[in-house]
Amino acid sequence: MKIAYITDSGTGKSIAEMAEKGIISVPLQISDENNTYQDMENLSKHDLIKLLHEGHVFKTSQPSPGLIQECFESLKQQNTDLIIAVPICNGLSGTISTMTTIANALGINIITVDCYVTAVVQEYLIERIKKAHEAGVSDLEIQLVINEIIDSCNTLIIPENLDQLIRGGRMTPLAAKLGKLLKIAPVLQINKSTSGRIDTLQKVRTFRRALEKAMDQMEVDGVGNEDDWYVAVAHVDNASEAEALAEKIHLRFPKIQVEVIELCSPVAAHTGLGSICLQYFRKK
């Protein structure tokens, strides 16, 4: 069976970077007041940071349906039997629905996996599925492994300030005003239990306290000292804070793998400068 593996730039990786792994990636779209960009193609993470510093307000959207159509038509011409797709989750985007509709119209079999988030776990899942298929693992075994990874995953978002959330309309004016007056720092989460939608986990005073609460939540979620846990500490132009948090996590959970990375642009565009995001899951 000829299988095509597909994801999108929610992984934080470009088309070329994913192609090196034998995986097709389509770029999500990021728009400001003047332009619509193709994420990781004509808008790098560095470019987004620069525009955030200039005060631009962003909207994000799924990959161009026309581009998905072209991609799938090409796969059909190459006699592809099955598409396996792990795009950005249903709760944040309509990408899964668009891919399914286009594949069905072209008569191509497609299996989509809702990861209930985006970023590192999205990339890990599509690579894990590809590796398992190529090793001859049964579909049932693959499904069980993927479910375990998704069930273990949580993503915590801590904005350093509320400015970008306010500009982008992600907070009501009253909530935003009260939040700034009281110096409230929200800890947001997105996972399977929130159906892939961003929800408020806790509200605390000060950004640093919010980071401490995020580590406490890791324990609540069962993160221990087993070496199969992975933690990404992602940041938006806030490397020093991210490095400091990663060191605290390492001291608290000495056996787990901790990596500091830049936050993927589709999330950073909404959370704003200084934000820290923790994403953790159990590798299988």
Side-chain angles (χ1 to χ4, degrees):
M1 180 179 289
K2 187 172 184 180
I3 303 174
Y5 301 90
I6 297 183
T7 187
D8 59 48
S9 64
T11 61
K13 301 294 177 60
S14 68
I15 292 171
E17 287 174 304
M18 295 308 295
E20 289 179 359
K21 303 177 182 183
I23 296 167
I24 298 167
S25 181
V26 286
L28 293 162
Q29 300 182 94
I30 301 176
S31 304
D32 64 10
E33 309 87 342
N34 306 311
N35 300 291
T36 296
Y37 303 96
Q38 303 301 309
D39 180 35
M40 296 302 296
E41 300 309 315
N42 62 355
L43 183 76
S44 67
K45 294 172 187 174
H46 176 77
D47 295 332
L48 179 74
I49 296 297
K50 182 175 180 292
L51 292 172
L52 282 170
H53 276 291
E54 292 173 2
H56 289 260
V57 179
F58 294 96
K59 294 181 179 178
T60 56
S61 57
Q62 64 179 296
S64 162
L67 184 60
I68 296 173
Q69 179 86 25
E70 281 184 44
C71 175
F72 285 15
E73 285 176 352
S74 175
L75 291 174
K76 185 174 183 179
Q77 291 171 4
Q78 296 170 46
N79 298 315
T80 299
D81 299 297
L82 175 66
I83 292 171
I84 298 178
V86 185
I88 189 171
C89 69
N90 260 328
L92 296 176
S93 172
T95 306
I96 287 177
S97 176
T98 298
M99 286 184 172
T100 301
T101 299
I102 292 172
N104 289 341
L106 292 171
I108 305 175
N109 292 322
I110 184 168
I111 296 172
T112 59
V113 176
D114 191 340
C115 61
Y116 296 100
V117 69
T118 186
V120 179
V121 74
Q122 181 183 332
E123 178 184 5
Y124 182 76
L125 286 169
I126 191 67
E127 290 183 13
R128 186 70 181 82
I129 291 168
K130 182 175 184 289
K131 181 180 178 181
H133 266 290
E134 291 174 348
V137 179
S138 73
D139 291 344
L140 178 58
E141 287 179 277
I142 293 172
Q143 186 65 60
L144 290 172
V145 168
I146 296 310
N147 287 346
E148 286 184 36
I149 295 167
I150 292 171
D151 289 345
S152 73
C153 183
N154 197 7
T155 303
L156 305 177
I157 302 168
I158 306 100
E160 187 175 42
N161 62 68
L162 305 178
D163 292 344
Q164 193 67 16
L165 291 168
I166 293 167
R167 291 192 197 105
R170 298 275 166 161
M171 295 185 72
T172 65
L174 179 58
K177 185 176 182 179
L178 286 173
K180 294 191 81 171
L181 284 172
L182 299 174
K183 297 183 179 179
I184 291 173
V187 180
L188 311 172
Q189 72 171 344
I190 176 171
N191 52 42
K192 188 175 180 180
S193 70
T194 70
S195 300
R197 294 177 174 85
I198 297 174
D199 193 15
T200 301
L201 176 65
Q202 294 187 51
K203 297 176 184 177
V204 297
R205 301 290 292 275
T206 79
F207 179 67
R208 296 288 174 84
R209 183 63 182 143
L211 296 178
E212 292 291 334
K213 285 290 184 183
M215 286 193 291
D216 292 342
Q217 186 61 37
M218 290 174 63
E219 281 196 6
V220 172
D221 290 334
V223 177
N225 281 316
E226 298 88 350
D227 59 8
D228 57 348
W229 281 96
Y230 169 86
V231 183
V233 182
H235 67 93
V236 186
D237 200 28
N238 199 358
S240 59
E241 196 72 67
E243 293 283 359
L245 179 59
E247 181 61 28
K248 289 179 182 178
I249 292 171
H250 180 69
L251 291 172
R252 192 160 171 177
F253 309 97
K255 290 186 179 179
I256 66 176
Q257 180 186 355
V258 184
E259 183 178 16
V260 175
I261 62 173
E262 293 179 302
L263 184 58
C264 62
S265 294
V267 179
H270 294 295
T271 60
L273 293 166
S275 299
I276 298 289
C277 174
L278 284 180
Q279 184 170 87
Y280 46 91
F281 56 91
R282 211 162 196 161
K283 288 188 170 185
K284 296 289 180 180

